[in-house]
Amino acid sequence: MSDGLPVGEGRPGATSAVVVGAGLAGLTAATGLAAHGIEVTVLEARDRVGGRTHGLRVGPDAWVDAGAAYLGDRHTELLALISELGLKTTPTTMQGASRFALGAEQATRDGRFPPLNAVALGDLFELLDELATAVRPEAPWLTPDAARLDTLTAADWADQHLTHPDARLFFPLFLGEMMAADPAEVSVLHLAFYLRSGGGLRYLNAFEGGAQQDRIAGGAHQACDLLADRLGSRVRLGEPVLTVHQDQDGVTVGTPGGEYRADLAVLALPPLLADAVDHRPALPVRRATGRTARGCAVKVNLVYPAPLWRDHGLSGWSVNAEGPLLSTVDDSPAEGGVGVLTGFVTGAEAHRYAALTPAEQRSAAVGQAARLFPMLPEPIGFRLTDWVNEQYSRGCYAALLGPGDWSALGPTLTTPHHRVHWAGTETSTEYFGLMEGAIRSGHRVVAEILARR
């Protein structure tokens, strides 16, 4: 090659590695490599581990998830990790009626199906199922008709296919809940892939028997905390990576605090962050394009003395056409002590809400919760996590691949760049955007590296 560096295949076996990012993907990779005798250093920009899992204390012994939270029975690698670490799961509570504010009047209904035209929503779900079934999850860019599907935005698709006003109303709410996406920012190919990768529309959308069935008791952040404990001083916090420079003999990773030398590097970063690093030699294909967007999510945790809505036969679940809280769910700690109503601000609404002052944010969220659940007193706690503007995530749940992204980025999604390997949930074609996808990407990288020893 013109840069004089050896290609990844056939290079000498690695005895040391720098892992960039201490979320689930990076820590899975780091502990896996360390278990096989590879000397590991983990560099994390934040002052905590966990990445897009983040626990907030809401009581003396009570925690709530400010980031990734839910899992289901198909998330086998995450469940295996939970068991190995001695953690437990708790069911996501969905007993009671739901609240809906989808028009001029609010409604209370059993179950989660909104008070909209059932035929129109059924047709919408059938169309989405058809899209998801047709996609090739292991290589979306090779899906039949991929070029056209990757050109259209989800908003374009809705304009072409959704005629009933109820379907047009519900579609952006559904996309926000599933993907934290604005329909104008995500391609139809990515929408179809995301649904297929996650197990299908019905599995992704379901609590009991679905991808949102359980939470990790005490918070999902504990998994990363315990993995980091195994690595001890090999995890370095407050070390944002600025440069990754390779030569014939190894790789040098630069941070404001110094340089770290190793045989190889694993970058377990969202694509927008990985692309911002100074790579030498330059990447042959960038990790993001101008159409790659941040996942649009702000998570609001409203804390009450107890889950008082349950006393009134309500589950805490709501769906709302107007923000800021486009949906709410009961995330009360299993151990009791307090009640937590979690609100999701997603899509275009997340950008608008994130631009408000803290006082305006609190007033808007608390006021809406009081209208939805009039029996609630003023909350005793208000916690807001703005993932849209989080410096070291660039969005949540995951990056949104826009028009043309799968065609441009997909074929090199996991291809090592000489001594640099890629991890992170956005590199997983299984359960993309979920904790399960992050863990599977970490396992994949370990297998790649060990295969070349």
Side-chain angles (χ1 to χ4, degrees):
M1 296 180 68
S2 61
D3 53 38
L5 291 176
V7 294
E9 291 77 3
R11 68 167 180 257
T15 60
S16 61
V18 173
V19 177
V20 181
L24 271 173
L27 291 171
T28 297
T31 53
L33 292 173
H36 286 88
I38 295 177
E39 182 182 340
V40 171
T41 301
V42 180
L43 303 178
E44 169 56 49
R46 297 178 175 90
D47 60 1
R48 62 170 180 85
V49 301
R52 286 171 282 191
T53 65
H54 183 32
L56 297 176
R57 190 188 296 273
V58 293
D61 298 303
W63 292 78
V64 70
D65 290 302
Y70 307 109
L71 65 145
D73 58 358
R74 299 185 194 177
H75 300 165
T76 53
E77 297 302 320
L78 176 55
L79 287 168
L81 178 64
I82 289 169
S83 177
E84 178 191 344
L85 295 174
L87 299 172
K88 304 293 183 182
T89 62
T90 184
T92 306
T93 301
M94 284 301 294
Q95 295 180 348
S98 302
R99 294 282 286 157
F100 297 95
L102 298 173
E105 297 182 359
Q106 297 186 6
T108 302
R109 282 197 171 188
D110 292 333
R112 294 177 60 217
F113 199 88
L116 298 173
N117 185 282
V119 174
L121 295 196
D123 290 344
L124 166 62
F125 294 149
E126 285 186 12
L127 287 169
L128 291 172
D129 268 338
E130 289 175 6
L131 284 173
T133 300
V135 81
R136 286 186 57 176
E138 80 287 357
W141 58 94
L142 297 179
T143 295
D145 205 19
R148 184 183 68 85
L149 295 174
D150 205 24
T151 300
L152 294 171
T153 68
D156 295 330
W157 178 86
D159 286 342
Q160 294 175 10
H161 291 87
L162 304 182
T163 57
H164 196 285
D166 282 2
R168 298 178 69 85
L169 169 70
F170 189 72
F171 180 62
L173 301 178
F174 170 81
L175 215 61
E177 180 191 344
M178 287 293 96
M179 303 175 63
D182 179 343
E185 291 188 330
V186 62
S187 76
V188 177
L189 183 59
H190 185 58
L191 165 61
F193 161 77
Y194 190 95
L195 295 176
R196 180 71 180 273
S197 167
L201 182 155
R202 287 166 177 78
Y203 183 74
L204 273 173
N205 193 44
F207 283 86
E208 185 175 356
Q212 303 175 71
Q213 175 174 286
D214 296 313
R215 294 173 289 146
I216 299 177
H221 67 285
Q222 296 172 102
C224 287
D225 288 346
L226 292 170
L227 287 174
D229 286 346
R230 293 182 176 181
L231 295 166
S233 61
R234 290 173 285 187
V235 178
R236 313 286 179 86
L237 302 180
E239 292 273 21
V241 167
L242 305 177
T243 60
V244 176
H245 294 171
Q246 305 181 59
D247 56 37
Q248 288 279 1
D249 301 317
V251 57
T252 301
V253 178
T255 77
E259 294 183 339
Y260 296 83
R261 183 75 175 171
D263 294 313
L264 58 85
V266 176
L267 267 62
L269 298 175
L272 290 167
L273 289 177
D275 206 43
V277 172
D278 176 35
H279 294 271
R280 297 184 190 175
L283 298 177
V285 177
R286 300 189 67 170
R287 304 299 296 173
T289 76
R291 299 302 299 269
T292 309
R294 306 175 182 215
C296 312
V298 178
K299 201 168 183 181
V300 175
N301 300 114
L302 299 165
V303 186
Y304 298 91
L308 303 172
W309 47 90
R310 297 180 190 174
D311 297 337
H312 297 264
L314 298 174
S315 66
W317 173 258
S318 74
V319 178
N320 313 294
E322 295 185 1
L325 309 181
L326 299 179
S327 63
T328 64
V329 67
D330 184 343
D331 271 346
S332 302
E335 57 273 20
V338 295
V340 177
L341 192 68
T342 295
F344 292 87
V345 190
T346 56
E349 181 66 21
H351 290 281
R352 187 198 69 79
Y353 185 65
L356 300 178
T357 67
E360 291 170 334
Q361 290 172 332
R362 179 186 175 102
S363 176
V366 172
Q368 185 177 10
R371 293 190 298 274
L372 288 166
F373 304 97
M375 74 293 299
L376 294 181
E378 183 77 9
I380 60 175
F382 177 84
R383 307 296 295 272
L384 181 148
T385 308
D386 177 2
W387 292 103
V388 174
N389 294 307
E390 215 294 321
Q391 181 179 6
Y392 297 119
S393 292
R394 301 279 181 93
C396 191
Y397 320 143
L400 304 174
L401 301 193
D405 275 354
W406 270 113
S407 300
L409 308 175
T412 58
L413 188 71
T414 61
T415 305
H417 176 48
H418 304 300
R419 297 175 180 271
V420 172
H421 295 254
W422 308 105
T425 191
E426 287 97 345
T427 70
S428 180
T429 55
E430 300 172 307
Y431 302 100
F432 180 107
L434 305 181
M435 291 186 283
E436 179 73 6
I439 294 170
R440 292 190 183 208
S441 79
H443 290 320
R444 172 185 50 76
V445 162
V446 171
E448 280 177 5
I449 294 169
L450 295 180
R452 293 172 177 167
R453 294 186 78 175

